[in-house]
Amino acid sequence: MLAEETYKFRNYLQEQGIIFCYSGYMTEEVLSGIGNAIKRKLELEHTDRQTAKGVFSIFVEQVQNVIRYSAEREGGEVEDDPAEIRYGVLTVGRKDDQYFVACGNLINNHDVDRLKKSLKQIKELDKEGLRALYKETLKGETPEGSKGAGVGFIDIARRATNGFDYDFMDMDDDRSYFCLKAFV
Amino acid sequence: MENLKIEGTDRAPEVDFNFENNTFALRGESYPEDITAFYGSVLDKLDEHLSSQNGATIRFDFELIYFNSSTAKVLMGLFETLDEAAENGNEVLITWTFEADDDNMEEMGEEFSEDLEHAKFEMKSIEE
């Protein structure tokens, strides 16, 4: 029974093309550990070096977003609480000859509009537009209104050679569920 | 100022700052756990040193393989600092080394260097 359940779960993940799956509290140590395993797996598959770098970069930005911004957290009652940990779900896989990195976490409802707006803006930009926005954001010259177009999302968009999708789902009065999946 | 040499790790670059010779380098990967803790004091020292220099020949080599977006912000500031040192009467050369097939790293070098007005800039591609 136990083996059957776990095996079914494993098969479900494999059907989705998922190579790595982590659901839980994310920390910098988790990032290091999974990151090294992803690197090693991509090397063993003889993945093109630049593709591997793209997958890895997107993985780092996604996990660091959860570590910093997920609205599902333990601790953190005081600001910059070093004991604070935040929850998210991460999958890395390959389907139809593309790698993907998907990540989901809860966010506060008051951040939804801002995030939707900046992701919509990023998704509509071409290569040159992304490059310009990336630089503006790095220099802190982001024009009013596109504030919060975190440099992390722009970086993901630039490295996602096959694009990215995102989605929001209403949860309750306070929180929504947010997911972003990038393809390389 | 005493020279600064920090060995690189999986996640943090090697820092090789020779204040005496005015040669500086960052090498390797950069996605440190705590970006401020890693770069804060290192770049404070560099700022302090550079602001005391006049008529010096200064060289900064970037030999990075990968960096995350938080590091990119730091690097943008560092380029501005180096350009200021050049504006203040120093000869500043910045080199940016990237793996020949790494288009992203090449573009990053171009982007960081676009706004340089006083410092000299060289791109170097290397085969893996």
Side-chain angles (χ1 to χ4, degrees):
Chain A
M1 196 54 201
L2 181 63
E4 195 184 317
E5 251 174 50
T6 310
Y7 189 68
K8 268 187 193 161
F9 180 54
R10 173 190 184 274
N11 282 354
Y12 168 77
L13 295 175
Q14 292 209 334
E15 279 159 23
Q16 311 293 312
I18 292 166
I19 306 169
F20 286 90
C21 173
Y22 179 84
S23 177
Y25 291 93
M26 297 204 186
T27 63
E28 291 291 341
E29 291 79 8
V30 168
L31 189 158
S32 292
I34 300 179
N36 286 335
I38 289 174
K39 273 188 178 170
R40 209 179 300 169
K41 172 68 177 159
L42 294 175
E43 266 173 38
L44 288 170
E45 288 186 352
H46 302 293
T47 308
D48 163 72
R49 255 176 83 79
Q50 296 321 313
T51 305
K53 270 191 180 180
V55 171
F56 184 75
S57 311
I58 294 169
F59 156 80
V60 170
E61 300 299 331
Q62 292 256 52
V63 172
Q64 289 193 324
N65 275 342
V66 171
I67 293 173
R68 288 172 201 159
Y69 304 119
S70 169
E72 188 170 354
R73 61 181 183 184
E74 296 275 327
E77 283 78 18
V78 291
E79 198 152 330
D80 290 328
D81 180 358
E84 177 190 279
I85 46 175
R86 301 192 189 221
Y87 193 96
V89 176
L90 165 94
T91 57
V92 180
R94 192 179 51 210
K95 205 166 193 185
D96 306 328
D97 271 343
Q98 302 183 87
Y99 283 94
F100 62 82
V101 183
C103 199
N105 57 270
L106 285 173
I107 57 170
N108 293 317
N109 280 344
H110 59 76
D111 291 322
V112 170
D113 284 346
R114 181 181 52 84
L115 206 54
K116 272 187 182 165
K117 205 172 154 188
S118 64
L119 285 167
K120 185 169 178 284
Q121 182 199 10
I122 292 169
K123 204 172 159 77
E124 283 168 358
L125 290 172
D126 61 7
K127 201 169 178 303
E128 278 310 304
L130 283 172
R131 181 183 164 128
L133 181 65
Y134 183 80
K135 199 160 164 194
E136 275 170 17
T137 310
L138 282 188
K139 297 184 88 170
E141 288 169 359
T142 321
E144 202 59 42
S146 66
K147 221 175 200 169
V151 68
F153 285 130
I154 310 169
D155 193 56
I156 290 173
R158 294 187 70 178
R159 294 180 188 267
T161 45
N162 290 313
F164 70 93
D165 289 325
Y166 61 91
D167 198 17
F168 294 85
M169 185 173 78
D170 291 337
M171 302 283 296
D172 55 34
D173 287 347
D174 300 321
R175 297 191 295 186
S176 297
Y177 200 74
F178 164 64
C179 185
L180 188 146
K181 187 171 185 179
F183 302 89
V184 182
Chain B
M1 198 168 300
E2 199 161 324
N3 292 336
L4 186 63
K5 186 129 185 163
I6 304 171
E7 281 208 32
T9 67
D10 271 4
R11 299 188 52 170
E14 173 193 339
V15 177
D16 188 357
F17 284 6
N18 189 318
F19 295 99
E20 210 176 311
N21 296 339
N22 268 319
T23 57
F24 306 92
L26 286 175
R27 299 185 186 99
E29 310 231 6
S30 178
Y31 55 116
E33 292 189 12
D34 186 335
I35 189 91
T36 318
F38 184 78
Y39 281 106
S41 71
V42 169
L43 295 185
D44 282 350
K45 278 181 192 155
L46 182 70
D47 276 351
E48 194 190 327
H49 170 78
L50 290 179
S51 59
S52 73
Q53 298 297 295
N54 194 285
T57 304
I58 297 161
R59 179 185 173 110
F60 203 116
D61 296 318
F62 292 91
E63 295 171 26
L64 296 167
I65 295 163
Y66 162 69
F67 56 84
N68 66 349
S69 62
S70 319
T71 300
K73 275 196 165 177
V74 171
L75 296 181
M76 184 58 90
L78 182 50
F79 267 70
E80 283 167 8
T81 305
L82 291 167
D83 205 40
E84 270 169 36
E87 190 178 4
N88 295 333
N90 298 292
E91 196 176 312
V92 178
L93 172 66
I94 303 170
T95 72
W96 184 267
T97 301
F98 61 96
E99 291 175 354
D101 62 347
D102 193 343
D103 296 343
N104 191 278
M105 198 55 98
E106 184 176 1
E107 277 173 26
M108 290 290 179
E110 287 165 6
E111 284 163 43
F112 286 131
S113 65
E114 271 165 5
D115 300 336
L116 294 174
E117 286 177 9
H118 308 279
K120 281 188 198 146
F121 182 76
E122 272 174 25
M123 301 267 276
K124 285 184 180 179
S125 83
I126 47 157
E127 301 296 325
E128 293 153 37

